[in-house]
Amino acid sequence: MSSSPSPSLAIGLTGGIGSGKTTVTDQFKEHGIVIIDTDAIAHALTAPSGQAIPAIRQTFGDAAIAENGAMNRAWMRELVFTDSNAKKQLEQILHPLIRQECEQQTATANSPYVIFAVPLLVESGNWRQRVQRIAVVDCSEETQIARVMKRNQLRREQVEAIMRAQATRAQRLAAADDIIDNETDLERVRTQVDALHLRYLQLAHEARIAAHS
Ligand code: ATP
């Protein structure tokens, strides 16, 4: 029932595994900001009856679809890990659909700005052109490893293998307009999120004025 205009500013938020993206986006949500989660979108597209399922079946065959009608994630993970062409084909199916859904969610978002939460923002394509700013949630690699080992009951080597498949900390920081340091306690994160929220509100306001002048 809101008559608010659609958002005038888009922020891309990223960070390595376990850096604290969800922790941070939860705090932005408390300010009423709409978070558009590209992982959740990809998951929905490849769930039973998901929009991407017919193209995945057509491209990769029945083996790519599990009994419940969802994409067979384990099978696909294995395939794209060893076959870069298959990885490209899967991306060609998913990326336009993710993009379309992002646009739809943005158009109906009733907050002054939106945040796209994109774990592989630095690794994947053209996000730089689609957002006005990139915010990176950052902590040391040791802290990432400790958090993910604890949360997912994984061994250090398993976490390190996932991290090797992602951009490096330096690559992410090089892409950042804004850095949220999540090395220590949550209160420090909150202080940074509160300050960034005020800045983004100001930028959204300026963008709205510029669009109308
Ligand atoms: P993923 O990349 O796996 O989706 P993420 O970047 O979204 O992870 P979170 O899930 O927010 O990261 O955080 C990873 C884990 O670390 C969680 O268990 C979370 O509760 C914990 N955590 C995050 N920030 C802090 C912090 N400042 N202090 C202590 N624990 C934290």
Side-chain angles (χ1 to χ4, degrees), residues 15-24 39 119 147-148 151 166 182-186 189:
I17 183 167
S19 57
K21 296 179 290 297
T22 306
T23 305
V24 167
D39 255 6
R147 285 183 186 153
V148 178
R151 184 192 59 186
Q166 299 190 339
N182 184 23
E183 182 65 26
T184 58
D185 57 290
L186 293 177
V189 177

Side-chain angles (χ1 to χ4, degrees), residues 71-82:
M71 181 175 78
N72 185 336
R73 290 176 206 290
W75 185 92
M76 189 60 85
R77 204 176 302 122
E78 185 103 335
L79 178 70
V80 300
F81 193 69
T82 51

Side-chain angles (χ1 to χ4, degrees), residues 21-210:
K21 296 179 290 297
T22 306
T23 305
V24 167
T25 50
D26 282 350
Q27 293 189 7
F28 277 102
K29 272 187 203 165
E30 289 172 25
H31 286 291
I33 297 307
V34 172
I35 309 295
I36 300 178
D37 181 337
T38 56
D39 255 6
I41 292 173
H43 207 270
L45 289 169
T46 53
S49 314
Q51 239 186 308
I53 294 296
I56 290 172
R57 190 190 293 279
Q58 198 181 12
T59 307
F60 298 101
D62 288 344
I65 309 300
E67 259 175 38
N68 67 356
M71 181 175 78
N72 185 336
R73 290 176 206 290
W75 185 92
M76 189 60 85
R77 204 176 302 122
E78 185 103 335
L79 178 70
V80 300
F81 193 69
T82 51
D83 181 345
S84 62
N85 195 44
K87 183 166 182 257
K88 213 174 283 169
Q89 284 179 303
L90 181 64
E91 286 172 355
Q92 277 165 1
I93 294 170
L94 289 179
H95 284 181
L97 292 171
I98 292 173
R99 191 183 177 125
Q100 197 183 3
E101 180 61 24
C102 281
E103 281 166 12
Q104 242 158 50
Q105 291 193 19
T106 304
T108 55
N110 60 353
S111 58
Y113 65 90
V114 286
I115 295 182
F116 294 108
V118 191
L120 299 181
L121 181 147
V122 172
E123 294 84 340
S124 57
N126 59 359
W127 277 100
R128 178 85 262 179
Q129 290 100 63
R130 293 169 57 191
V131 295
Q132 280 74 53
R133 293 186 80 77
I134 292 176
V136 170
V137 183
D138 179 62
C139 66
S140 68
E141 283 151 357
E142 270 311 308
T143 299
Q144 270 181 281
I145 292 168
R147 285 183 186 153
V148 178
M149 283 175 68
K150 184 169 168 213
R151 184 192 59 186
N152 298 48
Q153 307 291 304
L154 290 177
R155 285 179 288 112
R156 165 177 278 271
E157 305 79 66
Q158 293 173 298
V159 184
E160 284 175 342
I162 298 169
M163 287 169 63
R164 272 198 299 277
Q166 299 190 339
T168 62
R169 184 181 185 192
Q171 285 168 328
R172 272 190 301 272
L173 290 176
D177 297 300
D178 304 307
I179 297 168
I180 300 158
D181 175 7
N182 184 23
E183 182 65 26
T184 58
D185 57 290
L186 293 177
E187 271 320 298
R188 268 203 68 219
V189 177
R190 187 170 297 281
T191 309
Q192 297 170 78
V193 168
D194 290 352
L196 269 182
H197 173 63
L198 290 179
R199 172 138 175 72
Y200 292 159
L201 283 180
Q202 178 64 29
L203 291 173
H205 178 68
E206 287 167 14
R208 184 160 299 122
I209 289 172

